[in-house]
Amino acid sequence: MASLALFSTDDLSLPESLQEAVEHGEVFTRAWVVELILDLLGYTPDRDLCGLRLVEPACGGGAFLTVVASRISASCRVHRRPLTDAIDAVRAFDLLDRNVEQSRTLITRTLREEGWDTGGAARVATAWVRQGDYLLQADTDLQADYVVGNPPYIRLEDVPDDRMAAYRRACSTMGGRADIYIGFYEVALRSLNRGGQLGFICADRWMRNQYGRRLRRLVTERFSMDLALVMHDVDAFDDQVSAYPAITLISNKPQAAAVAADTNRSFRAPQARDFADWYLFGKPSATATPSYQAARMPHWFPEEDSWPAASPARLAVLEQLTERFRPLEDSETGTRVGIGIATGADKVFLTKARDLVEEERLLPMATVRDTTSGTIDWDGTHLVNPWSADGDLVDLDAYPRLASYFEKHGEVLRRRYVAVRQPRRWYKTIDKVDHRLTHRPKLLLPDMKSRIHPVLDQGRLYPHHNLYFIVSDVWDMRVLGGLLLSRVAEAFVEAYAVKMRGGTLRFQAQYLRKIRVPDPAEVGESDRAALAEAFDNRDVEAATEAALRVYGLVELPD
Ligand SMILES: C[S@@+](CC[C@H](N)C(=O)[O-])C[C@H]1O[C@@H](n2cnc3c(N)ncnc32)[C@H](O)[C@@H]1O
């Protein structure tokens, strides 16, 4: 469990370099952003806030705490409680003494301005704010109904090894290159009482990148992702930072409805209040204003491997399709997504010469170039094939010309990693040839392309490794090709794949597997015909129109 005190934090020194990095990572949140987060969480003075525990894990100069103090003060008045009843209502931490002092001073001042006596205000402030490392606190100090804040941005390499090791022991999601803020999420989530809520403004990269995977798993397995409000261009902090922030709300309950929202730079306090109204009381389920767009979905995305990125309205459609339809790769329909063969030495293994080796050892091969027009224009490339039909490497003694060709290029072939690892199998390609694949009709998709580009091979060629393939026991390949050509299928890949410079998309297997498709048996005759025809004509609009019908969609939002 993350929040067991593993040892006294005093044992860990706070070297100057870390102090500097921490200072460097101090980014203070604007008051209206704090107000927004508290409003969205329902942390409001009409409730008896003295009876609830709020934790601020990294309080800095007190940006959150001052607003919290005001709300608690107002709540005390409404509920006729003395201020001292609020002594346990807040716990806040910061690594730096200076910040602890500053936060305490600010809280005291805020409470005095609200009319409370200095002694009481100072007592409350002292009880609320403590010097310490949030990631290494004892469980009992952290248990919370609300955790709110703006976790620190500290580069991993700036954290001393001993402290980093302690973080990793405390936080199971902090693997690999995980940033410190991942640990803040984990500790905060685990500290939530049942029904408790987390509200952070923090970098949102963990929702999609490799190092966020464990945290995504924790969230999908045990929590409810309630809101992702992307604020990349919003002026949310006192200083300019390029942190790709989002306000993220997560609660300790089974997954319920979730909201995806995006903003632009014109999103400020008034728009934030407007958004909070929609979020809290909102109908309709989607909204678009000049400053933000938002959509409410019945659930969040169930998988941990990556969460999609798209406009809120499109996300809502993708979420709906993910719930209603099965994945493209599906044992029920015998549909499989795979990648073509990697050789490790294309210059040796790929040839257009027909008389290089025994004819039997030449396997016609599809490369990206052959797919450009949308139908296969095979340029005559063959694989010099070292694999027998039963999946073993051929005996070179049986193929003297093949043997002498490989031997001629022996140096290059033996230098490859696969050959170094298995010296006796020095002439193997990196992947095996799966001979069953050659003669099957298959859709081939080039990896890097600005648009999804399925091309049908009737069963003549073997795919090279920049091509992905789709085979199926049930789907008519032209009908499936029409679906894949549509903007609906593309929207899945677009939302999950990392876009490269110039807008090129990667159509790798893991992204193609995100595409959901209807049951082939449920696609009516006329839609099948329309999809197949659209595929033959490379007509993206017609394919999209037919796809929208079979997915039961009126439109695909941008
Ligand atoms: C990004 S600032 C946010 C401050 C404040 N919550 C706000 O929003 O203005 C992060 C703060 O985390 C503190 N900090 C860094 N590492 C910490 C740790 N391990 N435990 C507690 N506080 C930490 C830093 O001193 C800094 O004040």
Side-chain angles (χ1 to χ4, degrees), residues 353-364 382-385 399 401-402:
R354 301 297 299 264
D355 54 356
L356 201 62
V357 298
E358 289 79 1
E359 196 181 350
E360 193 190 326
R361 299 279 28 107
L362 289 176
L363 179 64
H382 287 83
L383 176 76
V384 180
N385 181 10
Y399 298 99
R401 292 170 63 203
L402 180 71

Side-chain angles (χ1 to χ4, degrees), residues 331-469:
S331 56
E332 295 253 313
T333 57
T335 306
R336 194 158 63 83
V337 179
I339 183 169
I341 187 173
T343 69
D346 282 351
K347 286 212 167 83
V348 178
F349 283 106
L350 266 52
T351 184
K352 285 187 192 157
R354 301 297 299 264
D355 54 356
L356 201 62
V357 298
E358 289 79 1
E359 196 181 350
E360 193 190 326
R361 299 279 28 107
L362 289 176
L363 179 64
M365 161 145 288
T367 63
V368 170
R369 236 172 329 192
D370 303 335
T371 63
T372 313
S373 74
T375 50
I376 296 282
D377 302 312
W378 186 47
D379 73 352
T381 299
H382 287 83
L383 176 76
V384 180
N385 181 10
W387 300 98
S388 70
D390 52 16
D392 290 330
L393 275 179
V394 293
D395 180 356
L396 288 181
D397 290 342
Y399 298 99
R401 292 170 63 203
L402 180 71
S404 94
Y405 177 72
F406 281 157
E407 208 44 79
K408 190 170 133 204
H409 297 283
E411 206 189 316
V412 173
L413 296 183
R414 286 189 175 89
R415 262 206 316 258
R416 295 170 310 144
Y417 180 65
V418 275
V420 173
R421 280 195 50 198
Q422 296 179 289
R424 291 183 49 209
R425 293 161 68 81
W426 59 273
Y427 55 98
K428 76 190 282 274
T429 49
I430 293 176
D431 305 310
K432 269 188 181 180
V433 167
D434 173 2
H435 282 277
R436 286 163 309 173
L437 183 62
T438 313
H439 300 297
R440 293 191 74 176
K442 52 195 158 303
L443 291 166
L444 300 175
L445 293 106
D447 177 1
M448 285 185 265
K449 207 79 183 149
S450 58
R451 283 229 59 237
I452 193 162
H453 190 70
V455 177
L456 179 60
D457 165 44
Q458 295 287 5
R460 281 198 310 147
L461 303 172
Y462 200 85
H464 185 233
H465 76 113
N466 282 333
L467 286 172
Y468 289 84
F469 66 82

Side-chain angles (χ1 to χ4, degrees), residues 185-247:
Y185 266 104
E186 174 174 340
V187 174
L189 287 171
R190 294 191 195 279
S191 74
L192 288 177
N193 292 328
R194 194 180 290 266
Q197 300 181 70
L198 168 154
F200 279 170
I201 178 156
C202 190
D204 67 357
R205 284 165 300 177
W206 67 276
M207 296 192 200
R208 273 166 282 284
N209 68 14
Q210 183 57 28
Y211 73 56
R213 174 183 282 262
R214 292 189 205 172
L215 179 58
R216 292 196 294 272
R217 185 186 314 147
L218 179 68
V219 172
T220 41
E221 280 177 5
R222 301 226 346 237
F223 296 90
S224 175
M225 183 75 189
D226 298 333
L227 168 67
L229 172 62
V230 176
M231 308 244 288
H232 291 181
D233 296 320
V234 172
D235 184 20
F237 306 111
D238 283 351
D239 293 319
Q240 288 283 330
V241 278
S242 52
Y244 300 105
I247 289 179

Side-chain angles (χ1 to χ4, degrees), residues 31-164:
W32 68 264
V33 176
V34 177
E35 301 274 6
L36 171 62
I37 292 175
L38 296 179
D39 286 346
L40 295 171
L41 291 172
Y43 189 83
T44 45
D46 53 313
R47 303 182 62 197
D48 183 9
L49 299 179
C50 289
L52 297 165
R53 164 67 70 88
L54 177 142
V55 169
E56 207 309 15
C59 63
F64 278 75
L65 293 177
T66 179
V67 181
V68 167
S70 273
R71 292 193 180 204
I72 287 183
S73 159
S75 169
C76 285
R77 302 265 189 239
V78 172
H79 295 273
R80 297 177 192 286
R81 280 184 178 257
L83 179 65
T84 42
D85 276 9
I87 244 165
D88 289 324
V90 176
R91 286 294 172 271
F93 302 88
D94 202 282
L95 217 43
L96 305 182
D97 289 320
R98 153 168 77 67
N99 285 343
V100 172
E101 277 323 305
Q102 200 177 320
S103 285
R104 284 178 176 163
T105 306
L106 196 61
I107 293 165
T108 309
R109 194 192 313 147
T110 305
L111 292 173
R112 281 189 46 212
E113 281 168 10
E114 308 258 344
W116 302 97
D117 70 276
T118 310
R123 266 209 359 253
V124 164
T126 308
W128 283 4
V129 191
R130 298 175 179 189
Q131 191 279 331
D133 191 318
Y134 176 70
L135 299 181
L136 303 172
Q137 295 299 309
D139 237 5
T140 41
D141 290 331
L142 299 185
Q143 223 50 41
D145 299 301
Y146 295 94
V147 183
V148 295
N150 166 10
Y153 304 80
I154 303 172
R155 292 183 310 167
L156 282 185
E157 43 277 27
D158 291 331
V159 181
D161 291 348
D162 54 350
R163 194 173 287 262
M164 199 60 216

